[in-house]
């Protein structure tokens, strides 16, 4: 007797629905005038608070211990800050017949932002991969991204970044890096409390993104964003991002195998090296693109949802691999925490 085939259900993340809700709210009730200034100021403050909490929570010793698995971390960083940008530059050939110059700027920007931390860890754990390595790889990518992403944007985006300059890079550093360093300095006194109350960071993390999305899209709606993006262009953007994600997922998985990494490490490399952080990218985009931020963050938002859905499916399949039961999952050692 044959068993009925189980249907594969794609995850419906309530938070993604909340993000879409912010876009709808900004479309119907955009912040204008004093309200827009208040929303922008509040998003700046809450993002600074978020990176302060990140700094206070991250153990410096754990980060330094993770350097021991340097081949894995170098591979992830190369995927994030070398391969992704090169693919973004190659996509320049899609302009203007497939992507508008403004959408391409956003597409290239998403290729410059660092990797995620939370989802990389979650999917690596689900797939029975090297979780400590994923923790350190995501942390290193986020830390370096606060410096590398603005520098890469200066070089690659130039004037297309809506007036991005060395001054904008300094502004990003003051808004993100300075609070992070302050958190590191105060970690001795508040780190334990944050470790015991992790929901605080999760609340600020998700709340800050929702606020930034609303502020950015409100500004875009006032400027006429939905008159600038047609449905054919939007579908073309989705197709380009699907190809980008497929290429990176393939390169990280099969490339890591060619480099001699074991299954658990390959899983960590695939999930940490193929994804992009919405939490880190949105605050930078608001500085980078100024009045064009809403149009610029659209590619990043779409890619973020796409990567979550696809990686969830891959992680579930990896967890059922015969190799998953045969190979022990690292719980300590090279790779970090």
């Amino acid at each position: 007797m044959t068993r009925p085939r189980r249907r594969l259900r794609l995850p419906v993340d309530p938070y993604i629905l909340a993000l879409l809700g912010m876009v709808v709210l900004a479309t119907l009730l955009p912040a204008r005038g004093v309200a827009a200034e208040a929303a922008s100021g509040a998003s700046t403050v809450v993002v600074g608070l978020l990176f302060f909490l990140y700094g206070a929570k991250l153990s410096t010793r754990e980060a330094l211990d993770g350097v021991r698995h340097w081949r894995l971390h170098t591979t992830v960083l190369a995927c994030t800050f070398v391969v992704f940008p090169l693919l973004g530059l190659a996509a320049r050939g899609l302009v203007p017949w497939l992507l508008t110059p403004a959408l391409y700027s956003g597409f290239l920007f998403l290729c410059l932002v660092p990797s995620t931390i939370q989802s990389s860890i979650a999917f690596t754990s689900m797939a029975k991969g090297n979780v400590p390595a994923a923790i350190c790889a995501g942390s290193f990518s986020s830390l370096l991204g606060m410096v590398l992403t603005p520098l890469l944007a200066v070089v690659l985006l130039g004037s297309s970044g809506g007036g991005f300059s060395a001054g904008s890079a300094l502004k990003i550093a003051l808004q993100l890096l300075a609070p992070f360093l302050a958190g590191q300095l105060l970690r001795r006194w508040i780190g334990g409390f944050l470790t015991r109350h992790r929901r605080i960071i999760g609340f600020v993390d998700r709340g800050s993104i929702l606020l930034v999305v609303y502020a950015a899209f409100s500004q875009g709606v006032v400027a006429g964003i939905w008159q600038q993006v047609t449905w054919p262009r939007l579908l073309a953007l989705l197709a380009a991002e699907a190809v980008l994600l497929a290429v990176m997922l393939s390169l990280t998985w099969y490339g890591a195998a060619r480099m001699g990494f074991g299954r658990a490490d390959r899983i960590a490399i695939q999930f940490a090296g193929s994804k992009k952080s919405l939490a880190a990218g949105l605050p930078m985009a608001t500085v980078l693109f100024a009045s064009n931020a809403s149009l610029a963050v659209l590619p990043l938002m779409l890619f973020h949802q796409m990567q979550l859905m696809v990686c969830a499916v891959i992680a579930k399949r990896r967890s059922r691999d015969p190799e998953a039961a045969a190979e022990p999952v690292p719980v300590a050692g090279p790779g970090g925490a």
Side-chain angles (χ1 to χ4, degrees):
M1 181 177 180
T2 59
R3 296 181 179 179
R5 296 182 61 184
R6 296 176 61 183
R7 294 184 179 180
L8 184 62
R9 296 181 180 180
L10 293 178
V12 179
D13 190 343
Y15 183 61
I16 297 299
L17 297 179
L19 283 173
L20 297 176
M22 288 296 101
V23 175
V24 173
L25 180 62
T27 301
L28 299 177
L29 297 172
R32 302 173 185 268
V34 176
E37 294 179 3
S40 178
S43 63
T44 300
V45 170
V46 76
V47 166
L49 174 60
L50 173 63
F51 278 83
F52 171 80
L53 295 176
Y54 278 159
K57 180 176 178 292
L58 179 65
S59 169
T60 305
R61 176 178 295 180
E62 290 175 353
L64 293 177
D65 287 344
V67 176
R68 290 183 296 173
H69 207 349
W70 63 270
R71 285 186 66 242
L72 185 148
H73 302 314
T74 302
T75 301
V76 172
L77 292 175
C79 291
T80 303
F81 297 114
V82 178
V83 180
F84 254 115
L86 288 176
L87 292 175
L89 290 173
R92 183 67 178 82
L94 302 178
V95 181
W97 63 278
L98 199 60
L99 298 178
T100 64
L103 284 178
Y104 171 72
S105 294
F107 183 90
L108 179 57
F109 172 70
L110 87 83
C111 293
L112 307 182
V113 302
S115 178
T116 61
I117 299 178
Q118 293 93 335
S119 58
S120 295
I121 296 170
F123 290 137
T124 300
S125 177
M126 184 188 303
K128 302 180 181 178
N130 190 337
V131 175
I135 293 173
C136 290
S139 300
F140 293 156
S141 179
S142 296
L143 289 173
L144 290 177
M146 284 187 277
V147 177
L148 288 181
T149 298
L151 293 178
L152 288 171
V154 169
V155 175
L156 301 181
L157 283 167
S159 59
S160 64
F164 190 71
S165 63
S168 298
L170 178 61
K171 186 176 180 180
I172 288 176
L174 291 175
Q175 182 178 351
L176 306 183
L177 187 57
F180 180 87
L181 294 177
Q184 280 281 289
L185 292 174
L186 296 177
R187 171 171 156 60
R188 176 181 178 183
W189 294 278
I190 64 176
F193 173 81
L194 293 176
T195 301
R196 294 190 301 270
H197 300 81
R198 297 185 179 185
R199 290 186 177 181
I200 295 177
I201 295 182
F203 177 79
V204 177
D205 186 351
R206 298 194 166 209
S208 64
I209 295 177
L210 292 176
L211 186 56
V212 169
V213 167
Y214 175 74
F217 271 86
S218 290
Q219 194 173 31
V221 169
V222 174
I225 178 179
W226 298 122
Q227 284 71 47
Q228 303 174 45
V229 183
T230 62
W231 278 107
R233 294 289 191 183
L234 193 59
L235 293 176
L237 175 62
L238 285 171
E241 293 189 343
V243 172
L244 176 66
L245 181 59
V247 169
M248 288 307 302
L249 287 170
S250 299
L251 283 177
T252 50
W253 181 251
Y254 296 107
R258 293 293 298 271
M259 295 174 66
F261 287 101
R263 177 187 177 278
D265 287 346
R266 289 170 66 193
I267 289 174
I269 291 171
Q270 184 178 50
F271 290 128
S274 65
K275 301 213 300 305
K276 292 295 184 176
S277 172
L278 188 66
L282 281 180
M284 293 182 183
T286 58
V287 177
L288 253 168
F289 298 93
S291 60
N292 296 321
S294 55
L295 193 59
V297 301
L298 185 61
L300 180 58
M301 288 183 60
L302 295 176
F303 189 82
H304 180 263
Q305 168 65 351
M306 187 183 298
Q307 72 186 11
L308 290 180
M309 296 177 67
V310 174
C311 288
V313 173
I314 293 176
K316 289 180 180 178
R317 291 182 176 178
R318 294 263 186 268
S319 68
R320 295 194 293 266
D321 288 344
E323 299 177 31
E327 182 173 328
V329 179
V331 293

